[in-house]
Amino acid sequence: MALDTDTQLNSLGFAKPPAQTRVVVAMSGGVDSSVVAALLADQGYDVVGVTLQLYDHGAALAKKGACCAGIDIHDARRVAEERGFPHYVLDYENIFRDAVIDEFADSYLAGATPVPCIRCNERVKFKDLLETARDLDADCMATGHYIQRLTGANGPELHRAADADRDQSYFLFPTTPEQLDFLRFPLGHLPSKQATRDLAGQYGLSVADKPDSQDICFVPNGDYASVIEKLRPGAADPGQIVHADGRVLGEHAGVIHYTVGQRRGLGIGGLTEPLYVVKLDVEKRHVIVGPKDMLATRTVPVREINWLGDAPMTSRPEWQISVKVRSTRPARDAILRPISDTEATVELLSPEEGVSPGQACVFYESEGSRIFGGGWIWRGY
C-alpha cells in the first residue's frame, strides 16, 4: 500500500515510503547501533551502514571492548551481511587524531580532565560522518545513542532518554540545531538496555550478547597516563605533592597521573585526615591536595556554549535550569547567567565537589527532559 504523503509521515518523519527513504546508520560494531540498522532495515528503509576506522587498524584488531576497534569493524560488517544492506568502512584515523586524540593529550598536560567522547561526537561523527551521509544522498543519519529527538513548537528538540541509566545526553550537548534536523535516535524511547538486547535476539544478530564498551576507545584499560606519555614523550616529569597550606607532603611521578577530586593513589601516608586533589599546577609540576571541603564550589565558568533553547541564551539575564558537571553525577538546580552567546557563569544552588576544567557543564530543563545544550568548564578553583 502506498503511503499517503499528504497526511502521513513514516517513522523517521518523512512523507514518503520507507523504501524511498535512505538512512545512513553509524555502526560502531556494538549491539546498539547494530539493532538500529537491523530495525530500520526490517521496517523497509534504504539502509546504508557506515563504520569509522578511528585509529591504527592493525593495533585495533587485538583490542576488545572498545568502540570502532578492528573487531568491531568486523562485527558491523557481519551484521550488514546478515541483514542484507550495504556497509562501508571509512578511514578517519588522521581526522580522529587531529580532532580528538591530540587535544586529549594536550588537555591533560594542561591540568584539565578532558572528555574525548564528546569531542568525537562533535568533531567527527556529527560533522565529517554527517557530511558523508549527505554525500550518499541520505535523508537522515541514525545512531545507537540513548537520547530522544522530539518535535516541539519550533522544530526538533533534544531530550533525555527514557531510560535514565542509559541516557547519553551529557555526551551529545554540542549537537547543533542543524545537525539535529538530520539526526535520528531510534533507541532513545526504549525502557532499558535489555529491551535493545531483546531486539538483537529477535533479529538474530551475532552481536546480541556482545558486552558494552567501557574504556575510551584509544585508551587501553583506562590507563590515560601511558597513552599520554606515548603521545607526548617526557610528559610524566616528576614533581611535588603540596598541601594547600604550603607543606610539601611527597613526590609524584607526573601531573598526568592525577585529576581534580582524586583521593586514592596519592602515595602519601601517615596523615590524620583524608586528602583530595584540589588543583593541578602544571607550570610548577605541583599536585595540590587538601580536605574534601576545598573541592566544593558553586560558581562554574563555562565557554564554547552550544545553546539549544528556543529563544537566544542572551535574551534573558538569567535562566533557571539544572546542570550536570560530570557524566556520572545527577543534575543539580542552577542559575545560568549569560556573558555572551558562547560564554556564561553557572551558579549551583548547592555546592558541587570536584568540578574540573575540561569537563562539560550540560544544561537541562528544570522540570522536564529537554536538553538546552551546554559548554566546557574552563578554569580551576
Side-chain angles (χ1 to χ4, degrees), residues 20-34:
Q20 298 176 18
T21 306
R22 174 167 292 178
V23 51
V24 164
V25 179
M27 299 183 68
S28 67
V31 65
D32 298 326
S33 57
S34 296

Side-chain angles (χ1 to χ4, degrees), residues 54 92-107 114-128 218 232 304 376:
L54 297 181
Y92 275 36
E93 184 178 345
N94 290 337
I95 293 172
F96 185 66
R97 183 181 180 105
D98 292 343
V100 179
I101 296 180
D102 283 343
E103 184 187 85
F104 171 83
D106 292 338
S107 294
V115 192
C117 294
I118 297 178
R119 289 301 197 192
C120 182
N121 289 327
E122 175 189 9
R123 296 176 174 177
V124 181
K125 292 177 181 176
F126 289 179
K127 183 173 180 284
D128 293 283
F218 58 90
R232 301 289 186 270
E304 293 183 61
W376 295 93

Side-chain angles (χ1 to χ4, degrees), residues 25 27 33-44 47 79 83 85 199-200 203 205:
V25 179
M27 299 183 68
S33 57
S34 296
V35 166
V36 167
L39 174 69
L40 295 175
D42 185 63
Q43 292 175 355
V47 171
V79 168
R83 304 306 300 181
F85 57 83
L199 284 171
Y203 292 123
L205 300 184

Side-chain angles (χ1 to χ4, degrees), residues 82-330:
E82 292 170 350
R83 304 306 300 181
F85 57 83
H87 175 259
Y88 301 97
V89 178
L90 305 181
D91 183 356
Y92 275 36
E93 184 178 345
N94 290 337
I95 293 172
F96 185 66
R97 183 181 180 105
D98 292 343
V100 179
I101 296 180
D102 283 343
E103 184 187 85
F104 171 83
D106 292 338
S107 294
Y108 253 101
L109 290 178
T113 307
V115 192
C117 294
I118 297 178
R119 289 301 197 192
C120 182
N121 289 327
E122 175 189 9
R123 296 176 174 177
V124 181
K125 292 177 181 176
F126 289 179
K127 183 173 180 284
D128 293 283
L129 178 55
L130 192 144
E131 288 306 312
T132 296
R134 294 187 190 276
D135 291 342
L136 291 170
D137 294 324
D139 294 284
C140 63
M141 185 174 87
T143 80
H145 290 105
Y146 287 88
I147 196 167
Q148 297 190 80
R149 174 191 183 275
L150 304 177
T151 302
N154 295 290
E157 300 174 352
L158 208 57
H159 287 253
R160 294 190 238 207
D163 179 5
D165 292 333
R166 302 296 303 181
D167 175 61
Q168 292 176 291
S169 58
Y170 185 85
F171 300 97
L172 297 174
F173 82 84
T175 307
T176 66
E178 293 76 20
Q179 292 167 344
L180 189 57
D181 188 57
F182 193 71
L183 289 164
R184 301 294 187 274
F185 308 105
L187 303 184
H189 69 287
L190 295 181
S192 67
K193 178 59 178 266
Q194 187 57 49
T196 304
R197 293 198 181 276
D198 289 345
L199 284 171
Q202 176 184 320
Y203 292 123
L205 300 184
S206 53
V207 296
D209 297 320
K210 185 175 181 178
D212 292 339
S213 59
Q214 300 295 328
D215 299 326
I216 295 171
C217 63
F218 58 90
V219 182
N221 305 315
D223 188 356
Y224 302 150
S226 64
V227 172
I228 296 165
E229 288 183 75
K230 183 178 179 180
L231 293 168
R232 301 289 186 270
D237 291 334
Q240 295 178 326
I241 300 174
V242 182
H243 195 283
D245 64 13
R247 288 177 290 151
V248 176
L249 302 180
E251 302 288 325
H252 65 75
V255 172
I256 61 173
H257 294 280
Y258 300 86
T259 60
V260 172
Q262 179 177 337
R263 178 185 175 187
R264 298 181 183 277
L266 299 184
I268 46 176
L271 300 171
T272 58
E273 61 173 342
L275 295 177
Y276 299 77
V277 176
V278 297
K279 188 176 181 180
L280 299 172
D281 188 327
V282 177
E283 291 185 4
K284 295 181 180 179
R285 299 201 301 275
H286 285 177
V287 173
I288 301 169
V289 298
K292 188 175 184 179
D293 58 14
M294 289 191 67
L295 289 171
T297 186
R298 289 182 57 180
T299 304
V300 183
V302 183
R303 63 183 179 184
E304 293 183 61
I305 290 173
N306 177 55
W307 179 250
L308 294 174
D310 294 329
M313 183 177 70
T314 53
S315 64
R316 299 184 193 175
E318 61 182 44
W319 297 77
Q320 302 289 330
I321 59 172
S322 61
V323 302
K324 273 190 174 188
V325 294
R326 294 242 182 185
S327 63
T328 55
R329 303 274 180 88

Side-chain angles (χ1 to χ4, degrees), residues 333-350:
D333 289 337
I335 299 172
L336 172 69
R337 296 190 174 92
I339 297 172
S340 70
D341 289 338
T342 59
E343 191 171 342
T345 299
V346 171
E347 179 187 347
L348 303 170
L349 299 192
S350 58

